[in-house]
Amino acid sequence: MKIAVMGGDGFIGWPTSLHLSDAGHDVHILDNLSRRWIDTELGVQSLTPMDSIQERTRIWHAETGRRIHFNLIDLARDYELLKKWLSEHRPDAIIHFAEQRAAPYSMKSDRHKNYTVNNNVSATHNLLNALTELNLDAHLIHLGTMGVYGYSTVGAAIPEGYLPVGIETADGETVSQEILYPSNPGSIYHMTKCLDQLLFQFYARNDGLRITDLHQGIVWGTHTEQTRRHAQLINRFDYDGDYGTVLNRFLIQAAIGYPLTVHGTGGQTRAFIHIQDSVRCIELALKNPPVRGARVEIFNQMTETHRVRDLAEMIARTSGAKIAWLPNPRKEAAENELIVRNEKFLDLGLEPTTLEDGLLGEIVDVAKKFAYRVDRSRVPAISAWTKDIAATIDHDPEGKRLKSVS
């Protein structure tokens, strides 16, 4: 297939592009390289050294003989350019990663909130609008988030997208209906993913677009089979307080002798998936598209759940790292359970990679190898959900800053 990977320079977009190219597909990356500009804004860099997208694709061609094409297009701003590209190339499938992906970044300030909404919602709508205008029957696969469901404890498993409900009619009878699982976003970033859901529902129903929405858990790991092939194909690895995911952050903290930063009670239960499984799931979704006129296909893209403090205690036991219990910058429940259904991918043949599979050591090895690139001042999570919470945040978990004497 000819596949357009929107946001193919990113943390999941890059290994997905390699994975699909390796499988024989004709891959075209469309990206505005905004994630690299955000690194510059935040004054932090990927733990792993990243070459330019042009050099990355050159190395891939030299190693495999296969080409990945790159197009500098901003989906949120360059609608006519996007439409022209789609009209000329008419891809069979589109993988949509082209959104600002970090909840903390989306909550840093009013400017960051506006950027996240404008970028994410406009990118998604521009894509749907263009597909409709061009009558292009490409299968659209979107990377969403488990966060659309929220993290409240209801004592029941979260279904894959749709919830069966009973509605009482005017004559007192009960009729059954399936609705989207009620949205409960915990950040501006998560809210944009909820808005994506509604856009997908409308365009699938109104215009017959074929759409798959993947509600993904927190991604851990750095390598996939393809990124291991050459040092310059390595994926990015974020460790900072805005973009680093919790398990990856714990592992690099352990590797550099930084205390493991647990916020609040650590009672937050989250869904996780290894990055190799993430790219496999995308390929499985690609092979199982909905038919035209069908409702949006929704998968829960996760393999296991863990409580944050349990992860920290496990890594502390194996590494000897200390745990720092810090105020929580997020406005969320101190404790939550999380039961998630994920039978669809398992039925399609996914064999989950779990934390027990020995890959934690691999990440620690990567962290130690590139520890010289770490800026310790960027490790704390300091983007607060409200101004009141901001006043309580600990900016110095190591306790190394000079203190005034009163």
Side-chain angles (χ1 to χ4, degrees):
M1 286 189 281
K2 179 184 283 187
I3 302 173
V5 182
M6 312 299 191
D9 187 48
F11 174 52
I12 301 176
W14 175 245
T16 299
S17 298
L18 297 185
H19 185 85
L20 295 177
S21 177
D22 203 29
H25 300 291
D26 179 16
V27 175
H28 297 252
I29 290 175
L30 280 68
D31 202 305
N32 67 352
L33 306 182
S34 61
R35 183 64 191 87
R36 294 176 184 253
W37 285 105
I38 289 172
D39 275 350
T40 302
E41 174 204 345
L42 297 178
V44 70
Q45 60 185 349
S46 165
L47 173 71
T48 50
M50 286 170 52
D51 283 310
S52 69
I53 184 64
Q54 291 85 355
E55 181 66 4
R56 285 171 132 186
T57 55
R58 187 193 69 79
I59 293 292
W60 177 249
H61 178 249
E63 289 293 306
T64 66
R66 302 200 59 83
R67 291 196 181 277
I68 294 177
H69 309 275
F70 171 67
N71 306 269
L72 184 64
I73 298 178
D74 188 325
L75 268 66
R77 295 181 177 181
D78 300 335
Y79 175 73
E80 293 300 332
L81 189 58
L82 168 65
K83 188 168 74 168
K84 181 175 184 290
W85 189 92
L86 291 171
S87 175
E88 290 176 357
H89 292 271
R90 303 194 75 83
D92 303 297
I94 296 168
I95 319 294
H96 177 23
F97 300 118
E99 295 181 274
Q100 193 291 107
R101 68 171 177 83
Y105 184 85
S106 77
M107 302 298 291
K108 288 182 79 66
S109 71
D110 55 348
R111 179 175 69 83
H112 294 87
K113 291 175 183 178
N114 282 342
Y115 169 75
T116 301
V117 172
N118 292 337
N119 181 80
N120 292 8
V121 180
S122 293
T124 297
H125 186 258
N126 282 350
L127 183 54
L128 296 168
N129 198 12
L131 291 174
T132 301
E133 182 66 19
L134 296 170
N135 194 28
L136 177 54
D137 184 29
H139 176 202
L140 173 60
I141 298 174
H142 171 254
L143 192 68
T145 171
M146 288 291 302
V148 300
Y149 301 124
Y151 294 106
S152 57
T153 297
V154 295
I158 294 174
E160 302 205 65
Y162 298 98
L163 179 69
V165 297
I167 302 173
E168 188 174 332
T169 66
D171 4 354
E173 297 182 358
T174 300
V175 295
S176 296
Q177 187 176 343
E178 276 199 322
I179 63 171
L180 269 181
Y181 194 91
S183 299
N184 187 20
S187 72
I188 293 294
Y189 157 75
H190 292 106
M191 185 187 69
T192 64
K193 296 292 189 174
C194 295
L195 296 174
D196 286 344
Q197 277 198 128
L198 295 178
L199 289 170
F200 296 146
Q201 294 291 320
F202 174 80
Y203 275 95
R205 184 181 67 250
N206 193 69
D207 299 289
L209 296 191
R210 296 184 296 128
I211 302 170
T212 297
D213 200 7
L214 306 176
H215 291 170
Q216 180 164 260
I218 295 170
V219 181
W220 62 281
T222 186
H223 279 305
T224 63
E225 180 184 338
Q226 289 75 31
T227 63
R228 288 190 184 93
R229 291 192 181 177
H230 191 282
Q232 288 172 271
L233 295 176
I234 195 167
N235 198 24
R236 73 174 299 125
F237 188 110
D238 298 306
Y239 65 87
D240 63 285
D242 285 318
Y243 276 89
T245 58
V246 61
L247 181 53
N248 279 359
R249 274 169 52 79
F250 283 166
L251 291 166
I252 191 171
Q253 287 168 350
I256 66 172
Y258 198 102
L260 310 183
T261 51
V262 177
H263 297 278
T265 67
Q268 308 93 332
T269 304
R270 296 291 186 261
F272 291 86
I273 185 169
H274 188 267
I275 194 164
Q276 181 71 71
D277 287 350
S278 182
V279 300
R280 286 173 180 153
C281 285
I282 290 161
E283 185 178 25
L284 287 170
L286 195 63
K287 292 178 177 178
N288 295 274
V291 298
R292 193 168 177 87
R295 71 180 184 179
V296 177
E297 184 67 68
I298 299 178
F299 291 81
N300 288 339
Q301 188 163 303
M302 50 75 65
T303 54
E304 55 190 331
T305 60
H306 294 280
R307 202 176 291 274
V308 170
R309 63 170 171 257
D310 294 340
L311 290 176
E313 288 165 359
M314 176 185 72
I315 293 167
R317 282 195 304 272
T318 58
S319 67
K322 295 181 180 178
I323 299 177
W325 302 89
L326 304 174
N328 192 349
R330 302 186 183 218
K331 191 172 184 177
E332 62 183 356
E335 306 267 334
N336 74 278
E337 302 296 331
L338 186 63
I339 309 168
V340 184
R341 300 190 64 172
N342 66 338
E343 290 92 343
K344 285 185 180 181
F345 274 131
L346 297 178
D347 290 345
L348 291 175
L350 177 67
E351 298 178 0
T353 303
T354 62
L355 296 186
E356 288 74 32
D357 283 353
L359 292 176
L360 295 183
E362 174 186 280
I363 302 169
V364 172
D365 290 343
V366 170
K368 287 180 177 177
K369 179 178 180 181
F370 297 111
Y372 68 93
R373 292 171 56 86
V374 173
D375 180 348
R376 299 176 84 95
S377 70
R378 303 299 177 182
V379 173
I382 59 173
S383 295
W385 264 229
T386 69
K387 292 179 180 178
D388 289 341
I389 293 175
T392 70
I393 299 306
D394 187 343
H395 291 242
D396 185 23
E398 290 189 286
K400 289 190 173 181
R401 289 193 177 88
L402 291 174
K403 301 204 170 41
S404 61
V405 178
S406 57

